[in-house]
């Protein structure tokens, strides 16, 4: 089995664990910095060049695409997919999940619950936006933010109006969401692989911080999902079409609410908090869907059709 991990940093915990898991199965695995790839497109022929060499077609790829490089990264994923490679998450699904607004629209259509969210242009009335969001306190999220950066909690309508006016004046795209006070600064990260829950952890924000991201000083412990939490996570992953993802939910009085679905979830926090070999589960997923050096299996054909459409 030839597997490429599309990652810009070989030293990241997640990248190293994926390499280890593939090597334990005797697979040929290579970390490819997708920004160092350039492609050739000709009639009936697609080529990927990498640092001066033509890459052999892989059996499978594992995309670890950075949020700031989504366009170029998904273009590389799509190219490999059209060449016949199996991808643990397709290029369309990655693009869907990276657009916070689009992903919420898709989740809503598929009946997945979430905090009430308002999106408006910089010509909109801040007072109306605040009222539609349910009033203060509320949460403002910059669409391009990641890892908790660009997320602001405002506790009064006057503060919310001031912040909205400032962001709108800079033409920043924002989501305005209701604040779920009963969550208490905690959320639940669920790892879904191939339509199955393979691990879950509860993340608690640092003292005084409503954000639970580990990158912002939060802590993590293993979490046993309720039936409703499990069903919600699986529904969110299915709605966005992601083969591997982290579904972030917060508890509320009306049940679990999905905040975000991450197409390149980090493995360190959840592996260390749960003791589960998540990287190995991803290799199981590849093994179940790919016959090495074969482009004709029914499973690969189905995956290719699903993932490279427009």
């Amino acid at each position: 089995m030839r597997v490429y991990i599309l990652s810009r940093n070989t030293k990241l915990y997640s990248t190293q664990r994926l390499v280890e898991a593939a090597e334990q199965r005797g697979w040929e695995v290579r970390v490819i910095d997708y920004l160092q790839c350039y492609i050739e497109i000709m009639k009936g022929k697609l080529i990927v060049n990498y640092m001066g060499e033509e890459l052999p077609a892989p059996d499978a790829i594992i995309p670890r695409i950075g949020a700031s490089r989504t366009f170029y990264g998904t273009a590389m994923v799509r190219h490999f997919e059209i060449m016949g490679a199996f991808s643990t998450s397709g290029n369309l699904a990655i693009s869907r999940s990276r657009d916070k607004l689009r992903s919420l629209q898709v989740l809503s259509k598929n009946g997945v619950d979430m905090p009430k969210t308002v999106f408006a242009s910089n010509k909109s009335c801040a007072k109306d936006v605040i009222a539609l969001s349910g009033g203060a306190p509320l949460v403002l999220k910059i669409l391009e933010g990641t890892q908790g950066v660009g997320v602001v909690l405002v506790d009064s309508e006057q503060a919310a109006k001031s912040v909205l006016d400032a962001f709108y004046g800079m033409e920043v795209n924002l989501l305005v969401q209701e604040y779920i006070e009963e969550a208490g600064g905690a959320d639940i990260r669920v790892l879904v692989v191939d339509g199955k829950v393979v691990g879950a952890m509860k993340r608690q924000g640092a003292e005084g911080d409503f954000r639970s991201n580990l990158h912002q000083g939060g802590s993590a412990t293993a979490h046993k999902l309720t039936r409703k939490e499990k069903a919600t996570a699986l529904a969110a992953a299915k709605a966005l079409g992601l083969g591997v993802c982290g579904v972030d939910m917060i508890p509320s009085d009306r049940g679990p609410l999905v905040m975000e679905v991450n197409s390149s979830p980090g493995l360190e926090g959840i592996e260390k908090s749960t003791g589960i070999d998540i990287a190995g589960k991803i290799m199981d997923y590849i093994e179940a869907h790919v016959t090495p050096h074969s482009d004709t299996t029914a499973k690969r054909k189905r995956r290719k059709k699903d993932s490279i459409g427009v």
Side-chain angles (χ1 to χ4, degrees):
M1 184 89 73
R2 179 184 295 131
V3 177
Y4 294 159
I5 300 169
L6 305 187
S7 171
R8 297 198 62 210
N9 190 345
T10 59
K11 297 180 180 180
L12 290 176
Y13 176 94
S14 299
T15 302
Q16 291 180 345
R17 283 288 298 117
L18 291 167
V19 169
E20 290 171 4
E23 288 180 340
Q24 285 173 358
R25 297 175 188 238
W27 295 355
E28 177 189 342
V29 60
R30 186 171 178 184
V31 178
I32 301 294
D33 181 349
Y34 52 91
L35 290 186
Q36 298 294 327
C37 292
Y38 44 98
I39 60 178
E40 298 178 69
I41 306 170
M42 296 158 281
K43 181 180 179 180
K45 189 174 184 181
L46 299 173
I47 296 172
V48 178
N49 289 283
Y50 180 63
M51 301 181 71
E53 64 170 304
E54 180 180 331
L55 285 177
D59 295 298
I61 59 171
I62 304 173
R64 303 287 304 176
I65 307 300
S68 63
R69 301 295 185 176
T70 299
F71 179 82
Y72 197 87
T74 54
M76 292 302 110
V77 173
R78 182 170 59 248
H79 200 79
F80 280 118
E81 287 174 324
I82 297 173
M83 291 170 64
F86 173 82
S87 180
T88 53
S89 285
N91 75 89
L92 275 179
I94 296 171
S95 297
R96 250 186 243 119
S97 66
R98 280 289 160 72
D99 185 329
K100 288 185 173 66
L101 176 60
R102 182 181 179 186
S103 65
L104 290 176
Q105 290 168 326
V106 172
L107 292 173
S108 174
K109 180 181 178 181
N110 286 273
V112 178
D113 204 358
M114 66 198 71
K116 184 176 182 181
T117 304
V118 176
F119 176 68
S121 77
N122 62 343
K123 302 299 182 183
S124 303
C125 174
K127 185 177 179 180
D128 290 343
V129 171
I130 293 167
L132 289 171
S133 305
L138 49 80
V139 177
L140 309 181
K141 292 184 177 180
I142 297 175
L143 279 180
E144 293 77 18
T146 61
Q147 298 178 343
V149 177
V151 180
V152 180
L153 172 65
V154 288
D155 56 8
S156 72
E157 293 198 5
Q158 184 56 49
K161 185 178 184 303
S162 297
V163 175
L164 279 172
D165 286 341
F167 278 126
Y168 285 155
M170 294 184 290
E171 298 190 354
V172 174
N173 289 317
L174 288 172
L175 294 179
V176 184
Q177 289 186 326
E178 66 172 316
Y179 174 57
I180 309 299
E181 184 175 5
E182 60 267 27
D187 79 356
I188 300 164
R189 160 64 65 87
V190 184
L191 254 290
V192 178
V193 178
D194 197 15
K196 303 178 186 69
V197 169
V198 297
M201 64 179 173
K202 185 174 183 179
R203 303 182 296 190
Q204 181 66 52
E207 185 175 354
D209 194 340
F210 78 103
R211 300 169 300 176
S212 57
N213 303 70
L214 300 184
H215 291 276
Q216 303 301 327
S219 58
T221 55
H223 178 73
K224 184 177 180 180
L225 296 172
T226 66
R227 185 176 299 178
K228 181 64 174 177
E229 288 168 346
K230 181 177 180 179
T232 299
L234 292 176
K238 182 178 179 180
L240 293 177
L242 289 163
V244 175
C245 64
V247 180
D248 296 338
M249 307 182 291
I250 56 173
S252 79
D253 291 341
R254 64 180 188 265
L257 307 177
V258 173
M259 302 294 290
E260 186 175 359
V261 183
N262 191 324
S263 60
S264 295
L267 303 185
E268 183 171 12
I270 196 159
E271 285 199 337
K272 290 184 176 180
S273 63
T274 65
I276 297 171
D277 179 10
I278 303 295
K281 300 291 187 183
I282 294 172
M283 300 309 146
D284 290 343
Y285 175 34
I286 292 173
E287 201 163 40
H289 287 261
V290 178
T291 299
H293 309 300
S294 171
D295 294 328
T296 58
T297 68
K299 288 179 179 178
R300 178 178 290 189
K301 283 186 176 180
R302 285 199 300 272
R303 180 66 183 178
K304 182 177 175 182
K305 180 180 179 181
D306 292 342
S307 61
I308 65 175
V310 295

